[in-house]
Amino acid sequence: NKVYDGTTSATLNTSTATLSGAISGDNLTVAGGAGAFADKNAGVGKSVSITGLSLGGVDAGNYTFGSTTATTTADISKAAISAVSGITAANKVYDGNTSATLNTNAATFGGEISGDALTVVGGTGAFSDKNAGAGKSVSISGLSLGGADAGNYTLGTSTASTTADISKAAISAVSGITAANKVYDGTTSATLNTSTATLSGAISGDNLTVAGGAGAFADKNAGVGKAVSITGLSLGGVDAGNYTFGSTTATTTADISKAAISAVSSITAANKVYDGKTSATLNTSTATLSGAISGDSVTVAGGSGAFADKNAGVGKSVSITGLSLGGADAGNYTLGTSTATTTADISKATISGVSGITVKDKVYDGTTLATVLTTGASLTGSVSGDQVTIGTLNAAFADRNVGTGKAVNLSNVVLGGADSGNYTLTATLATATGNITVRPLSTWTASGSGAWGSAGNWDALPDGSNVLAVSIPAGVSVSYDASAAATQLQSLSVAGGLSLTGGALSIASGLSTSQYSQSGGSLSLAGAMNVNASFSQTGGTIAASGPVSITQGAGNLTVGSISAPTISLVAPAGSIGQTGALVTTGLLSTQSSASTLLNDAGNRIKAFKAVSSGTGDIALTNVGVIDVQGINTASGNITVYNTGGISTSGPVIANGGAAKMTANSPLTIGTDGVTATGDITLVATNLTSAGNLTLNGDLVSSAGAVGLSAANNLAQNSKVSAAMGISVSAGGTLTLGPTATSFGNPISYSSQGAPVAAPPGSQTSSGSAPADYVAVFLTQFEKAVVSQETVSVELPGVTDKEKEKEKKTTTAEGEICLR
């Protein structure tokens, strides 16, 4: 027997076979053979046909097989189906029940023989619950087998399971929702009532409602039966999850009634200038409407305002009538009242001009006071018919200065008349014109010295161009400072003293005074300046178109910035110094009993001559080409430093000191030469032009050395003599002339860095340098002329015998007398 396997094959047992005709005792068996059921189907006692039998055993060779076939019977029991799978359930739309529609076509069976015709017959499906959901469990029951081969199987279970979806049912439409009527509130919002809603597509008996939702009127404006659009609807209730909303919108209608404006406030009235009327201009843009919705375009339209009376005043009552509503949203409101009140000012009207006022002419007196006549005057700006007149007033010229047709300011006008309280007069607008003529002379009225710029010191302050002449009396010292306006005078007579500490004083003539001092400001003269006793200038400037001559009676002389065609500085009892630059187009001459130090970098001197009769140096720093017409110092050094060329046209004599001249351009020594007790140093550089050095006069240093340096060419056309050596250097061509004599150190000449032989006849002698009797005599003679004293010319250190020898060896005037 076997279990159904879908085939007819049968398994044989030949050991039980009986062979008809076999000899008892022989060893004879049945061998081979194959069995086959009549068909594959399950059954009991099914016929089995046997074929292919043969004989076996030791005695098999003794027999022949009359037939190789036989028959028998056996059972084929049914096969068991252990499980059913592959059954599906159809998805469905929510319908309120659990029923499921099955599809068994794709069912598969656990234990089915491949190729058999086996199906599922019958069966019902049920979802786990009625609610919508995806992949929901479906239980299957009542299954049985079908198909041609069903009889060969037994079904172990009649149940199975699967999954399927229940999709949500659609609510296709919502109707019956209502909106509440409202009073205009400036919005489109509407209050909904959804409890009356009807849902198309809902399953009868389900717990389903409308939830949420917002209502909006078509616009915010008041109206009857206005359309209300409903949006944002959703479903509520226990069964809401089983439905979808086909549309979350709906429509209905409701009314918006107009809002009431209960009061109007904050209307303003424009302040106005008095015009003789009560009319007021309203500004309704500031109006506040009680009951108006914020943001609405609702305004006050129309309306007229009127002051309580026409007169000027502050905070005057204004009554408002005839108001109405305006603006885009006016139709949404009703106005409870058409009147209101406010306040505003009526300012006084301005009298903008005064005409018919005349001004009396006057001579400059240092004040702005003016005398006026108001007879016949009229006011510009008064309202026709008003009673307003001119009362008292003050009159003043715009300034105190001389002028024709000068503006006169009228101020402190007092108005009269019944309506004068409604007007004001602006002083700057009330003007007239008058004349102030030049004053011939200003007189000093103060009891002693004082400031020029103090008006109380004069009968009329002399400043600007208001006064032709000023006379400063004897015993008075006047200080002109920055508090005085720039002053232009035709003439200034100073019997006393004058000092400038600031400001600008201009005189269309010269100035002569015994006392003058200046620490600031500027003095401008169209003539000469002469100071003959006391002068001090530590600041400020002096500019004169004529010569400037300054003598310091006692002590030192200090000058500042002075510009003039020529300048003469004399300090017979002291030194000369400067705090500012000196500028001349001609000669600067100086005489002092001590040093003269003029080292301001701004000096612009065309020609220079200086004498010092006592102990002290003479020094000049200058810019530009300069002619040195003579420098003589009784006991001191001479230093000239010039940014530009230097030429000498007079003797340069430094008794008891050294002489140094530096030109940042050509340096030319004239025929009068240079004489010094100490060193003589001449330097020509090429800072501003070719640095050539030319000697046309002798150089004599009685106790020092001579150093000559030219950046370019050097031409020695005269003799050079020194006690302590001679050094000559030229950056260009060196032209040698007369001899060079040294009584101490060697003589050296070089050109372009290479040594050059000294002039023919040059010599270096041992011993002391000889005295230059001619130079000593000339120095002492000039000193005698300056001091107007008799001077004895002595040559110390020379014996009578030596003098006698010197006389014999002297051959020409001006030559050095040798011992």
Side-chain angles (χ1 to χ4, degrees), residues 69-81:
T69 63
T71 62
T72 187
T73 61
D75 301 337
I76 298 177
S77 60
K78 294 182 178 182
I81 297 300

PDB file of all heavy atoms in Angstrom, residues 69-81:
ATOM      1  N   THR A  69       4.343 -11.996 -16.621  1.00  0.00           N
ATOM      2  CA  THR A  69       3.411 -11.024 -16.007  1.00  0.00           C
ATOM      3  C   THR A  69       2.639 -11.704 -14.910  1.00  0.00           C
ATOM      4  O   THR A  69       2.571 -12.937 -14.853  1.00  0.00           O
ATOM      5  CB  THR A  69       2.432 -10.477 -17.060  1.00  0.00           C
ATOM      6  OG1 THR A  69       1.635 -11.559 -17.548  1.00  0.00           O
ATOM      7  CG2 THR A  69       3.169  -9.778 -18.188  1.00  0.00           C
ATOM      8  N   ALA A  70       1.997 -10.840 -14.059  1.00  0.00           N
ATOM      9  CA  ALA A  70       1.132 -11.333 -12.992  1.00  0.00           C
ATOM     10  C   ALA A  70       0.271 -10.166 -12.535  1.00  0.00           C
ATOM     11  O   ALA A  70       0.418  -9.034 -13.024  1.00  0.00           O
ATOM     12  CB  ALA A  70       1.972 -11.886 -11.852  1.00  0.00           C
ATOM     13  N   THR A  71      -0.606 -10.355 -11.629  1.00  0.00           N
ATOM     14  CA  THR A  71      -1.457  -9.291 -11.046  1.00  0.00           C
ATOM     15  C   THR A  71      -1.548  -9.474  -9.568  1.00  0.00           C
ATOM     16  O   THR A  71      -1.365 -10.593  -9.053  1.00  0.00           O
ATOM     17  CB  THR A  71      -2.873  -9.323 -11.672  1.00  0.00           C
ATOM     18  OG1 THR A  71      -3.450 -10.587 -11.346  1.00  0.00           O
ATOM     19  CG2 THR A  71      -2.847  -9.112 -13.154  1.00  0.00           C
ATOM     20  N   THR A  72      -1.840  -8.315  -8.898  1.00  0.00           N
ATOM     21  CA  THR A  72      -2.113  -8.350  -7.458  1.00  0.00           C
ATOM     22  C   THR A  72      -2.958  -7.126  -7.124  1.00  0.00           C
ATOM     23  O   THR A  72      -3.396  -6.396  -8.039  1.00  0.00           O
ATOM     24  CB  THR A  72      -0.805  -8.378  -6.659  1.00  0.00           C
ATOM     25  OG1 THR A  72      -1.110  -8.572  -5.273  1.00  0.00           O
ATOM     26  CG2 THR A  72      -0.031  -7.057  -6.792  1.00  0.00           C
ATOM     27  N   THR A  73      -3.194  -6.859  -5.870  1.00  0.00           N
ATOM     28  CA  THR A  73      -3.957  -5.664  -5.445  1.00  0.00           C
ATOM     29  C   THR A  73      -3.245  -4.962  -4.289  1.00  0.00           C
ATOM     30  O   THR A  73      -2.498  -5.592  -3.535  1.00  0.00           O
ATOM     31  CB  THR A  73      -5.388  -6.018  -5.005  1.00  0.00           C
ATOM     32  OG1 THR A  73      -5.307  -6.897  -3.890  1.00  0.00           O
ATOM     33  CG2 THR A  73      -6.179  -6.627  -6.141  1.00  0.00           C
ATOM     34  N   ALA A  74      -3.487  -3.632  -4.166  1.00  0.00           N
ATOM     35  CA  ALA A  74      -2.957  -2.841  -3.034  1.00  0.00           C
ATOM     36  C   ALA A  74      -3.779  -1.554  -2.895  1.00  0.00           C
ATOM     37  O   ALA A  74      -4.601  -1.219  -3.765  1.00  0.00           O
ATOM     38  CB  ALA A  74      -1.493  -2.500  -3.266  1.00  0.00           C
ATOM     39  N   ASP A  75      -3.571  -0.830  -1.785  1.00  0.00           N
ATOM     40  CA  ASP A  75      -4.337   0.429  -1.511  1.00  0.00           C
ATOM     41  C   ASP A  75      -3.474   1.676  -1.797  1.00  0.00           C
ATOM     42  O   ASP A  75      -2.261   1.673  -1.562  1.00  0.00           O
ATOM     43  CB  ASP A  75      -4.773   0.468  -0.043  1.00  0.00           C
ATOM     44  CG  ASP A  75      -5.660  -0.712   0.351  1.00  0.00           C
ATOM     45  OD1 ASP A  75      -6.269  -1.283  -0.562  1.00  0.00           O
ATOM     46  OD2 ASP A  75      -5.696  -0.996   1.576  1.00  0.00           O
ATOM     47  N   ILE A  76      -4.175   2.757  -2.263  1.00  0.00           N
ATOM     48  CA  ILE A  76      -3.538   4.116  -2.323  1.00  0.00           C
ATOM     49  C   ILE A  76      -4.371   5.015  -1.410  1.00  0.00           C
ATOM     50  O   ILE A  76      -5.541   5.293  -1.715  1.00  0.00           O
ATOM     51  CB  ILE A  76      -3.525   4.693  -3.754  1.00  0.00           C
ATOM     52  CG1 ILE A  76      -2.716   3.823  -4.701  1.00  0.00           C
ATOM     53  CG2 ILE A  76      -2.945   6.130  -3.737  1.00  0.00           C
ATOM     54  CD1 ILE A  76      -2.728   4.289  -6.152  1.00  0.00           C
ATOM     55  N   SER A  77      -3.781   5.351  -0.279  1.00  0.00           N
ATOM     56  CA  SER A  77      -4.530   6.217   0.662  1.00  0.00           C
ATOM     57  C   SER A  77      -4.379   7.700   0.259  1.00  0.00           C
ATOM     58  O   SER A  77      -3.416   8.100  -0.401  1.00  0.00           O
ATOM     59  CB  SER A  77      -4.012   6.017   2.089  1.00  0.00           C
ATOM     60  OG  SER A  77      -2.631   6.341   2.169  1.00  0.00           O
ATOM     61  N   LYS A  78      -5.382   8.521   0.629  1.00  0.00           N
ATOM     62  CA  LYS A  78      -5.372   9.981   0.272  1.00  0.00           C
ATOM     63  C   LYS A  78      -4.204  10.716   0.928  1.00  0.00           C
ATOM     64  O   LYS A  78      -3.876  10.470   2.102  1.00  0.00           O
ATOM     65  CB  LYS A  78      -6.685  10.647   0.675  1.00  0.00           C
ATOM     66  CG  LYS A  78      -7.888  10.147  -0.097  1.00  0.00           C
ATOM     67  CD  LYS A  78      -9.146  10.884   0.335  1.00  0.00           C
ATOM     68  CE  LYS A  78     -10.365  10.427  -0.485  1.00  0.00           C
ATOM     69  NZ  LYS A  78     -11.581  11.140  -0.118  1.00  0.00           N
ATOM     70  N   ALA A  79      -3.635  11.696   0.191  1.00  0.00           N
ATOM     71  CA  ALA A  79      -2.563  12.552   0.749  1.00  0.00           C
ATOM     72  C   ALA A  79      -3.186  13.686   1.577  1.00  0.00           C
ATOM     73  O   ALA A  79      -4.306  14.130   1.304  1.00  0.00           O
ATOM     74  CB  ALA A  79      -1.730  13.147  -0.383  1.00  0.00           C
ATOM     75  N   ALA A  80      -2.477  14.137   2.561  1.00  0.00           N
ATOM     76  CA  ALA A  80      -2.999  15.199   3.452  1.00  0.00           C
ATOM     77  C   ALA A  80      -2.541  16.584   2.985  1.00  0.00           C
ATOM     78  O   ALA A  80      -1.360  16.790   2.690  1.00  0.00           O
ATOM     79  CB  ALA A  80      -2.527  14.956   4.886  1.00  0.00           C
ATOM     80  N   ILE A  81      -3.507  17.540   2.902  1.00  0.00           N
ATOM     81  CA  ILE A  81      -3.187  18.967   2.649  1.00  0.00           C
ATOM     82  C   ILE A  81      -2.964  19.619   4.010  1.00  0.00           C
ATOM     83  O   ILE A  81      -3.911  19.768   4.799  1.00  0.00           O
ATOM     84  CB  ILE A  81      -4.313  19.664   1.872  1.00  0.00           C
ATOM     85  CG1 ILE A  81      -4.491  19.031   0.491  1.00  0.00           C
ATOM     86  CG2 ILE A  81      -4.011  21.169   1.746  1.00  0.00           C
ATOM     87  CD1 ILE A  81      -3.289  19.096  -0.392  1.00  0.00           C
TER      88      ILE A  81
END
